[in-house]
Amino acid sequence: MNIADVMTVIGFVLVTAIIVVLLIIGIYIFFVDRTQRQHPVLRNYPIVGRARYFFEKIGPELRQYFFNNDREGKPISREEFQHIVKKAKYKRDVEGFGSQRNFEEAGYYIRNSMFPKLTEEIKMDRDTKQKTNRYLLVKDPLFTQREEHLEEEESPAYLLDEKDTIVVGENCKYPFRARGPIGMSAMSYGSLGDRAITALSEGLGIAKGTWMNTGEGGLSDYHLKGGADIIMQIGPGMFGVRDREGNFNWDELLEKSKIPQVKAFEVKLAQGAKTRGGHVDAEKVTEEIARIRMVEPYKSIDSPNRFPEFGDLPSLFDFIERIREHTGKPVGMKIVVGSHFEAEELAKEMRDSGKGPDFITIDGGEGGTGASYQELTDSVGLPIKSALPLVDNALKKHGVRDRVKIIASGKLFSPDKVAIALAMGADLVNIARAFMITVGCIQTLKCASNICPVGVATTDPDLQKALVVDEKKYRTANYVITMRKGLFRVAAAAGLDSPIHFKREHVIYKDEKGKTWSLDDIYQSMIQPGGEGSMNA
């Protein structure tokens, strides 16, 4: 036999063996499927029925990349995702041809001025410059990877004018001064990995004029690494300021307050996506995280859904007053609003007692989380555009609005959304998920599983290798700077020299029929008897 005949025989034998093996496997799977009792589809359609589970498994990816249009995806649409990425990666966010917004739907619009402010009329810090790295798109071919060049760019930091600095806790020994209205919402080390927290910290430090909230997981070295201002959150589990038995540790609180970067403390009563205590799975609780949180390693962590130290507003305010006196720094509270009754009760107690927080963080029901329950994320707590005006109204009504700053959060990740929130009563804005996207999040919705494929919401060291801190930190900085630039641009269009001047009269609500309403009209309908929520769209 020649070599060709030998190869033919070998090939025939191999193909036959493969067919036999596949046939044996198929017969085995057939009988397994036919005899199992859990899945009716497999009992009636052995082997073939498995295709159903395969397509069900890859369904989210198919919808995300192929079937949802640019504005359909949830919780963040493809269009919103791309705008965030463009700001972070390219330090610009322009679109051609026209808006994809459905102008037939009801929604809020910023009232433009016939005589907008010129660039030179804008009141901002023109001296502070920041150097970052950004990508320059050279080619975007169809069948090969896009060609991009990384370049260093210097630009203004787009900070507020020094005279417009937002001061939180003016009467505190150590007030917190913010030179920009946009900061990072609460995200704990443990929920995110150390590389993600480090990249965020260093990026925010580069951008300057902003802050990062530690989340209820305690203050880590990674939060401090970039030099950004810190708001340390204290949740019901009191992680990072507790003893081994779970009691509040005032000595530990004092030590944390001595860290210069820690500018304020926030008492977390609730979060928009989970009006309850937090949860971290055991595999995420490494020895380092356990040390920071002062818990046992490799055991699931569940914080209670409220503080055991207090159960009403007077005792809460006493707790806040004691933290302020103990640290000398501003103390705020994070809440989810359920109705105007809670807002009224809060404002009345502040008026009558003369006590209360230096700032109130209002988290909308549309806010995100690493892990929560469907019934809480979908149906408990008002969205931010309903909750924010209720609190602002109540504080003004009872004459205490000037004592407290309001921080709003809930999918406010574009300049126009931030501007609308400022007009509705916010002084500052928190953002979380957009910052996750700047460091690599692709919205696989696996935050609760510790198997985040891009190394963001995981403590797995192998998965975290995907996240390169020295590249992602610039994306975080670019996003903040570009957001602030866009906010000044929107303010100028509205005839304002600074975004701090956004008021109710600068936003209009248009219903499905084209009728327009001022925010004052909407707010009045909210607080009239029987009218609460009648214009919450």
Side-chain angles (χ1 to χ4, degrees):
M1 296 179 67
N2 57 35
I3 189 68
D5 293 334
V6 172
M7 295 302 295
T8 300
V9 171
I10 293 174
F12 177 78
V13 171
L14 285 174
V15 170
T16 302
I18 291 171
I19 292 173
V20 171
V21 169
L22 291 175
L23 185 61
I24 292 172
I25 293 173
I27 293 171
Y28 172 77
I29 294 175
F30 178 89
F31 283 105
V32 168
D33 289 350
R34 179 71 83 181
T35 56
Q36 58 82 38
R37 299 184 178 188
Q38 186 177 1
H39 305 292
V41 170
L42 295 183
R43 284 176 68 86
N44 282 342
Y45 305 98
I47 302 177
V48 177
R50 289 177 178 263
R52 174 187 184 275
Y53 299 102
F54 170 73
F55 287 113
E56 183 180 56
K57 182 71 174 177
I58 67 172
E61 288 78 11
L62 290 175
R63 288 187 291 275
Q64 181 179 4
Y65 294 112
F66 297 106
F67 301 120
N68 281 342
N69 70 37
D70 286 347
R71 299 180 68 88
E72 279 182 341
K74 301 293 182 183
I76 297 174
S77 71
R78 185 185 294 114
E79 183 190 49
E80 292 167 329
F81 183 91
Q82 288 174 346
H83 282 311
I84 295 166
V85 171
K86 286 177 184 177
K87 290 180 178 71
K89 191 174 181 181
Y90 305 108
K91 208 173 181 181
R92 66 198 302 263
D93 186 16
V94 295
E95 56 182 32
F97 204 66
S99 173
Q100 296 186 47
R101 178 175 183 173
N102 184 351
F103 290 94
E104 300 300 317
E105 292 181 349
Y108 292 92
Y109 292 83
I110 297 166
R111 181 179 176 182
N112 63 293
S113 171
M114 293 181 66
F115 303 99
K117 292 293 182 182
L118 298 172
T119 302
E120 55 269 24
E121 294 178 304
I122 296 296
K123 285 178 59 181
M124 57 172 275
D125 179 348
R126 300 182 186 277
D127 297 326
T128 304
K129 310 286 186 181
Q130 292 306 116
K131 286 185 179 180
T132 64
N133 291 337
R134 69 165 187 170
Y135 285 92
L136 182 66
L137 182 61
V138 179
K139 292 182 181 179
D140 194 9
L142 182 60
F143 294 108
T144 58
Q145 190 173 5
R146 66 181 58 176
E147 185 180 340
E148 298 172 325
H149 291 163
L150 190 63
E151 65 174 14
E152 186 180 89
E153 191 208 43
E154 183 179 73
S155 71
Y158 293 98
L159 300 175
L160 296 172
D161 186 84
E162 191 168 356
K163 294 179 181 178
D164 292 333
T165 299
I166 300 167
V167 183
V168 181
E170 289 184 274
N171 297 321
C172 292
K173 186 176 181 180
Y174 307 106
F176 171 38
R177 302 177 184 276
R179 294 290 304 281
I182 300 168
M184 192 190 92
S185 192
M187 290 193 283
S188 301
Y189 171 49
S191 177
L192 303 189
D194 59 87
R195 291 198 180 193
I197 295 293
T198 299
L200 291 166
S201 174
E202 294 189 3
L204 293 167
I206 292 169
K208 299 191 181 303
T210 182
W211 65 92
M212 69 186 309
N213 190 306
T214 64
E216 63 177 307
L219 178 65
S220 71
D221 291 339
Y222 309 109
H223 286 103
L224 297 168
K225 202 163 186 178
D229 289 342
I230 299 290
I231 296 177
M232 183 177 175
Q233 188 180 87
I234 304 171
M238 296 175 287
F239 303 125
V241 287
R242 57 181 262 163
D243 58 26
R244 288 293 178 182
E245 287 70 44
N247 301 308
F248 197 85
N249 189 330
W250 291 95
D251 292 334
E252 191 63 41
L253 174 71
L254 185 60
E255 290 303 309
K256 294 292 194 301
S257 72
K258 291 178 180 178
I259 299 172
Q261 283 176 246
V262 177
K263 303 297 184 182
F265 294 91
E266 179 181 81
V267 179
K268 175 188 173 182
L269 302 189
Q271 180 180 338
K274 52 182 181 186
T275 49
R276 62 175 186 94
H279 170 81
V280 180
D281 289 332
E283 58 266 29
K284 280 192 170 187
V285 187
T286 62
E287 291 185 2
E288 182 183 31
I289 289 169
R291 174 180 56 79
I292 292 168
R293 297 193 178 204
M294 301 176 180
V295 296
E296 292 187 46
Y298 302 108
K299 287 189 177 182
S300 294
I301 303 174
D302 284 288
S303 57
N305 59 3
R306 77 167 179 83
F307 284 79
E309 278 73 16
F310 51 81
D312 54 24
L313 286 173
S315 55
L316 165 63
F317 287 180
D318 287 342
F319 185 66
I320 288 174
E321 291 287 325
R322 187 175 175 187
I323 293 176
R324 186 188 295 115
E325 291 171 3
H326 202 65
T327 65
K329 296 187 175 181
V331 184
M333 53 188 283
K334 183 174 184 176
I335 62 172
V336 176
V337 179
S339 74
H340 78 276
F341 297 108
E342 287 82 7
E344 285 282 323
E345 186 180 4
L346 172 64
K348 285 180 183 177
E349 184 61 31
M350 288 182 64
R351 180 197 65 193
D352 296 342
S353 67
K355 302 177 181 179
D358 297 297
F359 65 94
I360 300 172
T361 301
I362 306 171
D363 203 20
E366 67 271 58
T369 179
S372 189
Y373 301 102
Q374 173 274 322
E375 61 271 18
L376 296 181
T377 58
D378 285 352
S379 300
V380 178
L382 291 173
I384 191 62
K385 288 177 183 175
S386 298
L388 177 55
L390 291 179
V391 175
D392 184 52
N393 265 2
L395 294 173
K396 288 177 177 176
K397 176 182 174 181
H398 294 284
V400 293
R401 180 65 178 89
D402 60 337
R403 286 169 40 191
V404 62
K405 293 292 188 286
I406 294 178
I407 306 177
S409 60
K411 298 181 74 173
L412 304 174
F413 34 64
S414 63
D416 55 318
K417 289 180 170 61
V418 173
I420 291 170
L422 296 178
M424 287 181 166
D427 299 289
L428 303 163
V429 164
N430 272 343
I431 299 172
R433 282 169 291 184
F435 278 116
M436 291 176 65
I437 291 170
T438 68
V439 294
C441 170
I442 58 173
Q443 202 176 186
T444 61
L445 311 184
K446 299 185 184 296
C447 306
S449 62
N450 206 35
I451 57 171
C452 172
V454 291
V456 177
T458 179
T459 56
D460 186 314
D462 291 327
L463 291 171
Q464 286 197 74
K465 290 176 182 177
L467 201 160
V468 180
V469 173
D470 286 338
E471 195 262 353
K472 299 302 182 188
K473 67 182 182 182
Y474 291 113
R475 297 199 188 197
T476 298
N478 290 341
Y479 176 71
V480 178
I481 293 170
T482 309
M483 282 284 289
R484 293 193 298 230
K485 180 180 180 181
L487 191 55
F488 275 108
R489 189 164 51 230
V490 173
L496 305 174
D497 60 14
S498 174
I500 68 167
H501 298 308
F502 273 110
K503 304 296 180 187
R504 295 180 179 183
E505 61 263 27
H506 297 117
V507 172
I508 297 294
Y509 176 84
K510 181 196 75 70
D511 67 17
E512 298 89 341
K513 297 178 181 179
K515 185 177 180 181
T516 58
W517 306 72
S518 71
L519 288 190
D520 280 324
D521 292 336
I522 296 172
Y523 295 170
Q524 286 303 314
S525 70
M526 282 183 173
I527 61 177
Q528 288 170 359
E532 182 186 349
S534 61
M535 288 296 296
N536 282 352

